[in-house]
Amino acid sequence: MDRDPDIALVALAVILVAGAIAAVVGGLRSDRRRSRIAGSTGAFSAAQVRGGEWSLVLDRTGDRQIQVIKEIRTITGLGLAEAKRLTDRAPSIVLDRVDHASASAAYQVLATAGATVRITEVGPPEPPAPGLCTVVLHDAGPKKIQVIKEIRMLTGLGLAEAKQLTDRVPSTVLADVDSETGAAAQARLTAAGATVRVTGS
């Protein structure tokens, strides 16, 4: 009879010790999870608001390529084939010349999907070489579909990429082309209702 309270006390002590060990292990796991999350986001936490222009570069898709392709399509508006091409040709630029907040948000999405990505700062565009010019679209105008068709014919871009140029004006349609090519492109786009400027000599 005297041993029953001793057994109960020993059992209680074992339960308390086991609970304390479980709490310590759980805390360590939580710390590791927090460290991993901090490691993926810490590069940007100190500078969420930055000026300038930035590019988001995909280095590797990881083991979940389909999920990464889905996220790239959501981020960029690209079609399935074009988004897959980006993953197949890694390292490749997913976003180019965007603000830091946009690049950072897209970074988080792709990193969560398992991709290896990085953000790089883009310097000012280089001036065109002497004798060459750049064709810049400022407004697609009322006949946007026709303008997209002309851009595709001039550049060889896919539908989604050509549409992106019309959505994100001002945008460069042709760069470092001779003045004759630039003037011809300007004439075609202007005839389709777009507002276009040719810069350079």
Side-chain angles (χ1 to χ4, degrees):
M1 295 293 293
D2 292 337
R3 290 182 180 179
D4 290 343
D6 293 339
I7 293 171
L9 287 172
V10 169
L12 179 60
V14 169
I15 291 170
L16 291 173
V17 169
I21 292 171
V24 169
V25 171
L28 289 173
R29 286 176 178 165
S30 295
D31 288 343
R32 284 196 203 101
R33 279 196 297 271
R34 281 194 292 271
S35 295
R36 283 198 296 270
I37 293 170
S40 66
T41 60
F44 309 106
S45 59
Q48 287 296 322
V49 181
R50 293 187 181 181
E53 293 182 312
W54 302 79
S55 290
L56 177 68
V57 181
L58 171 71
D59 285 320
R60 285 187 299 277
T61 57
D63 298 329
R64 299 163 59 198
Q65 185 180 19
I66 293 174
Q67 183 61 33
V68 171
I69 290 172
K70 286 180 181 177
E71 299 296 359
I72 287 174
R73 293 188 66 190
T74 302
I75 291 166
T76 64
L78 291 174
L80 177 59
E82 291 152 328
K84 185 177 184 302
R85 265 200 301 270
L86 276 182
T87 65
D88 290 341
R89 296 175 180 174
S92 54
I93 295 175
V94 178
L95 293 176
D96 192 27
R97 295 191 176 274
V98 297
D99 60 84
H100 190 270
S102 299
S104 182
Y107 172 95
Q108 298 297 342
V109 170
L110 291 176
T112 300
T116 302
V117 283
R118 57 191 159 90
I119 295 177
T120 60
E121 189 168 11
V122 181
E126 295 182 6
L132 299 180
C133 63
T134 299
V135 179
V136 180
L137 175 70
H138 283 270
D139 185 4
K143 297 189 288 184
K144 188 174 180 179
I145 293 174
Q146 185 60 36
V147 172
I148 291 172
K149 287 180 181 178
E150 294 293 348
I151 289 174
R152 294 189 67 187
M153 292 183 69
L154 290 167
T155 63
L157 291 174
L159 176 60
E161 293 159 319
K163 182 178 181 298
Q164 225 170 34
L165 285 181
T166 65
D167 290 340
R168 298 179 178 177
V169 291
S171 57
T172 300
V173 178
L174 294 173
D176 296 343
V177 295
D178 59 77
S179 57
E180 186 178 340
T181 301
Q186 182 182 32
R188 290 181 64 167
L189 291 170
T190 301
T195 301
V196 181
R197 183 167 54 91
V198 177
T199 63
S201 53

